[in-house]
Amino acid sequence: MTRLSTVLLTLAVSGLSQALRFLGRVNPATRELTWPATGVSFSFTGTSASVAVTSISGTNSVELLIDGGTPIIIENVNGTSISTPSLVRGHHTVQLRKRSETVYGTFTLGDVNIIRGSLGADSISRRRIQIIGDSISVGYGLDGTYPCTNSAFLENAPKTYGALTAKNLSAEFDILAWSGIGLIRNTIGSSDPVLMPQLWTRYGTNDEDNSYPFPKAETPDIVVINLGTNDFSYLGVRDPVNATMLTDGMIAFAETIRGHYPNAELFLTSSPMLSDTYPTAEDAQHTTHVSVLNAAAEKLGSKAHVVDFPTQGSEVGCDYHPNAAEHEKMAAILTSAIQEVMW
Ligand SMILES: *[C@@H]1O[C@H](CO)[C@@H](O)[C@H](O)[C@H]1NC(C)=O
Ligand SMILES: *[C@@H]1O[C@H](CO)[C@@H](O)[C@H](O)[C@H]1NC(C)=O
Ligand SMILES: *[C@@H]1O[C@H](CO)[C@@H](O)[C@H](O)[C@H]1NC(C)=O
């Protein structure tokens, strides 16, 4: 009798650890959600489930997607757990994702608890896309209407072009993005010395450089690099970016990425925030950026592709960032660019 219940208990526990799966780049040793759109995915049979929250720093906005329905938005995670509402008894899928970036806050997850029910299997796509970028890829100000002050609540990583493209292609995705970050220099006014090629080597954004062990299971088929917007900013503060140095920076970073993912197709994207009229027509920043990407792609060879996101329209989110409609346009462009090459 005692022996039987011990066996059942062991099975239940091992089933649980198998079913719980992190979304995005999450260090399993810390279980800290740092990068945008990181979270957890599971399915269960029962009426409700909760995920323990073991520590919180700052402000964190999350979405809870149940059975693929309309996301439940939590403006700021608080307390010791995040729970689903009471659901009809049956089989349900749950995806919890962070909407905001590290600058606003991070939090750590404990275990999943099923109320009167059991955890089930979680389905994983074999395809994986990695998006590397700045505030555009973060979803900074996406849910705001200009003029507005960005906040954790107005960021929306799960509605970014990267997340939408992954959804279009039924792929898992990792968004490795940080507002203000650049390839060879950060945005004007930033005192942060960390550039994207360095931040990219971290498991969680708060972990040490080179802490990410590049697990085989997280190897992307596609890497999207959306960088340069911040490098181009200069007005009244510094010289315009040197296009040759930016090209060399892109090639060097892409080659480092390829060192880890030799089979990945690389998609280098332009910025919808750069135009050929601002700050001056002479700068022609959008066209210059595209030339930089073309020069880099040519050097990188057949597995590198350029995706030109046109300069965005006049309706924008906070601080001129792409809004939800713009992200949808970008997703359509990126989806077809990827489909031309694969899948
Ligand atoms: C905690 O979060 C919940 C869900 O978003 C919210 O309804 C509640 O007001 C928050 N409590 C505090 C003290 O902020
Ligand atoms: C840009 O950088 C390259 C390589 O370092 C250098 O040769 C060139 O003179 C620079 N161009 C300008 C306009 O500063
Ligand atoms: C991809 O998603 C976007 C936005 O969600 C949509 O506008 C677009 O048409 C989709 N493209 C394809 C090929 O499914």
Side-chain angles (χ1 to χ4, degrees):
M1 196 61 183
T2 313
R3 193 169 274 234
L4 179 63
S5 62
T6 308
V7 170
L8 289 175
L9 186 69
T10 310
L11 283 175
V13 170
S14 68
L16 188 146
S17 60
Q18 205 178 7
L20 187 60
R21 179 169 71 89
F22 288 115
L23 299 170
R25 194 189 277 189
V26 180
N27 185 341
T30 65
R31 303 175 73 125
E32 181 183 18
L33 301 192
T34 61
W35 300 101
T38 47
V40 70
S41 172
F42 58 91
S43 80
F44 73 99
T45 301
T47 56
S48 80
S50 71
V51 186
V53 174
T54 50
S55 69
I56 301 174
S57 110
T59 304
N60 299 276
S61 183
V62 306
E63 72 163 40
L64 196 56
L65 198 65
I66 298 165
D67 301 328
T70 307
I72 297 169
I73 308 296
I74 298 172
E75 183 161 350
N76 183 15
V77 172
N78 62 45
T80 56
S81 68
I82 298 170
S83 304
T84 68
S86 201
L87 305 167
V88 174
R89 176 172 297 279
H91 187 256
H92 300 286
T93 61
V94 179
Q95 282 202 352
L96 172 98
R97 281 192 195 270
K98 199 166 182 263
R99 301 168 72 245
S100 50
E101 64 183 312
T102 299
V103 173
Y104 289 105
T106 69
F107 61 104
T108 57
L109 294 179
D111 288 333
V112 172
N113 182 29
I114 312 300
I115 321 295
R116 288 185 300 279
S118 58
L119 266 175
D122 183 40
S123 64
I124 307 174
S125 172
R126 282 179 302 110
R127 303 166 166 179
R128 198 171 186 105
I129 303 180
Q130 180 172 115
I131 295 108
I132 304 172
D134 49 35
S135 54
I136 297 170
S137 303
V138 161
Y140 179 107
L142 186 155
D143 277 341
T145 302
Y146 181 88
C148 45
T149 303
N150 187 52
S151 64
F153 180 55
L154 292 181
E155 294 197 335
N156 197 346
K159 285 281 182 294
T160 54
Y161 73 92
L164 297 176
T165 300
K167 190 178 175 189
N168 275 351
L169 299 169
S170 303
E172 305 293 328
F173 66 98
D174 304 313
I175 297 178
L176 309 172
W178 186 279
S179 291
I181 210 156
L183 191 54
I184 62 169
R185 61 183 195 176
N186 291 331
T187 191
I188 43 171
S190 167
S191 55
D192 190 343
V194 180
L195 297 166
M196 187 43 95
Q198 182 184 347
L199 194 66
W200 180 79
T201 69
R202 298 183 188 173
Y203 217 146
T205 59
N206 293 327
D207 294 337
E208 301 286 309
D209 288 350
N210 300 308
S211 50
Y212 188 61
F214 298 93
K216 233 195 167 82
E218 293 176 15
T219 301
D221 308 282
I222 286 172
V223 179
V224 176
I225 307 177
N226 185 341
L227 290 170
T229 308
N230 293 304
D231 301 79
F232 269 95
S233 67
Y234 76 96
L235 205 59
V237 175
R238 58 188 181 185
D239 286 337
V241 73
N242 179 318
T244 307
M245 288 171 65
L246 194 60
T247 305
D248 291 348
M250 181 62 84
I251 293 166
F253 186 33
E255 279 172 351
T256 302
I257 292 168
R258 275 189 176 166
H260 294 282
Y261 308 132
N263 298 321
E265 297 284 348
L266 305 183
F267 292 81
L268 317 181
T269 81
S270 68
S271 167
M273 292 180 72
L274 295 179
S275 84
D276 280 347
T277 52
Y278 178 87
T280 70
E282 193 197 342
D283 288 328
Q285 289 192 334
H286 190 87
T287 299
T288 307
H289 192 203
V290 173
S291 315
V292 162
L293 303 177
N294 280 330
E298 194 171 321
K299 190 81 187 292
L300 290 163
S302 61
K303 284 172 103 64
H305 318 277
V306 174
V307 178
D308 189 355
F309 292 137
T311 304
Q312 64 189 345
S314 55
E315 282 176 28
V316 289
C318 305
D319 301 320
Y320 302 99
H321 284 75
N323 61 14
E326 189 65 38
H327 275 277
E328 285 179 19
K329 284 185 208 162
M330 294 164 71
I333 293 168
L334 182 57
T335 301
S336 61
I338 291 171
Q339 282 172 336
E340 268 175 41
V341 173
M342 58 204 303
W343 301 338

